[in-house]
Each structure stands twice: as C-alpha cells, then as structure tokens.
Amino acid sequence: MDFSGPRCTLTEPARQHCDRDLMTVSFEISAGSTRRTVSEDDARRVQMARHLTAACLRFYFLDRLVDDATLVVSELVTNAIVHSGGTQVTFTMTVRDGYLHICVHDEMEDGPEIRVVDDDAEMGRGLFLVQCIARAHGGDWGIRDAGATTWCTFAVTEELH
C-alpha cells in the first residue's frame, strides 16, 4: 500500500523506563480533502494511523486501550485532514506520568471545538466522542499551539513491560 511517502518512526522500547515515546508518525495530506470529504489517499492514511496505533499499543501490552485509542486517533487525524487546510499531519503517542498521550498536530490556525448538533446531523459529534472516551479512561482532551495540536489522554493503570 502506497502512502505517498509518509515518514514513520517507531521508537525503540526503553523497557527500563516508565515514561517513553511510543511512536511519532508524520505524513503529507492531499489537497483534495475538503470540509465534507476525505480523499481516498487520505482515508488510507487514517487507516494506517489506526493500524499503527493498535500495533504499538499491543507491543507495549496496552491491549485494553486499543479499541478506544484507535477510534480517537481516527477522529483526530480525520479532523486534521478535513479542517486544517494544511499539507502535513503529525501524530504522536507517548506514555508519561501514568497517562497515554495522543497528540495530532496540523497546520490549523483556529482550534477545534465541541459543537452542539441536531439529532439528524451527520457530522459534528467527533470531539464530543473523544471527550467521552478520554474521560471514561480517567483522562481528558484539549488543544494547544493556537489550535494546531489536539491532544487526548488515557490513564494507564497497568505497568508497562
């Protein structure tokens, strides 16, 4: 599968430390994505991000977080592709201070926000979902870097091996 040259770096496990960088992935996004659609190439990049997230979490024995973390990564990466207007997305996962940190950085100037939508709306619930999932795992979500980075945390209760 061709991802049009994504740069992917998986950090080596540092098993002697509790705090560690798990993964950083950067990739270019298509100019074809708009506020309502995601190009086929970018859809494959979102799929790649989900697969890498699942593999990385399983490698670090964080299997119980796989389903929810891959959903969050999918939502945050898709938001970055659709709403940033930029050309590159970087997502990072780290474990530090007892939390899994998921960060997605794009070139967006205005930060995302949770919207209140009608019951029949097809879009607009993603960040609310991210917030609910993060809080269910004892974490939270937010933005930084003037809205260019959206982050989410999950508490990590079991010891990393």
Side-chain angles (χ1 to χ4, degrees):
M1 186 179 296
D2 178 21
F3 296 110
S4 301
R7 293 184 322 256
C8 175
T9 304
L10 298 179
T11 60
E12 288 295 321
R15 296 191 182 274
Q16 69 273 19
H17 300 290
C18 275
D19 295 349
R20 57 184 75 147
D21 293 335
L22 303 182
M23 173 175 53
T24 298
V25 179
S26 294
F27 53 91
E28 292 182 9
I29 56 176
S30 304
S33 294
T34 66
R35 291 181 89 45
R36 291 239 171 233
T37 65
V38 174
S39 72
E40 189 175 317
D41 288 339
D42 287 338
R44 282 194 297 272
R45 290 177 179 102
V46 174
Q47 181 181 25
M48 173 202 63
R50 284 193 309 264
H51 289 299
L52 288 171
T53 298
C56 188
L57 292 174
R58 286 185 179 109
F59 180 79
Y60 284 100
F61 303 101
L62 296 172
D63 298 65
R64 71 175 184 81
L65 300 178
V66 168
D67 290 341
D68 288 342
T70 55
L71 179 59
V72 165
V73 165
S74 182
E75 180 59 37
L76 296 182
V77 170
T78 300
N79 277 358
I81 290 169
V82 172
H83 299 293
S84 75
T87 60
Q88 182 171 311
V89 171
T90 301
F91 102 85
T92 304
M93 289 194 319
T94 60
V95 173
R96 121 180 134 255
D97 302 325
Y99 287 89
L100 169 67
H101 296 259
I102 299 170
C103 297
V104 176
H105 181 81
D106 57 40
E107 298 165 341
M108 185 183 308
E109 293 181 12
D110 295 323
E113 60 187 49
I114 294 177
R115 293 187 275 164
V116 177
V117 295
D118 295 332
D119 290 342
D120 59 346
E122 294 181 18
M123 298 176 67
R125 293 180 184 83
L127 290 176
F128 177 70
L129 181 63
V130 169
Q131 177 183 15
C132 291
I133 292 170
R135 289 184 178 168
H137 286 280
D140 207 354
W141 82 281
I143 60 172
R144 64 174 189 254
D145 305 325
T149 301
T150 305
W151 57 266
C152 173
T153 59
F154 292 11
V156 178
T157 55
E158 67 262 25
E159 182 177 325
L160 295 177
H161 299 279

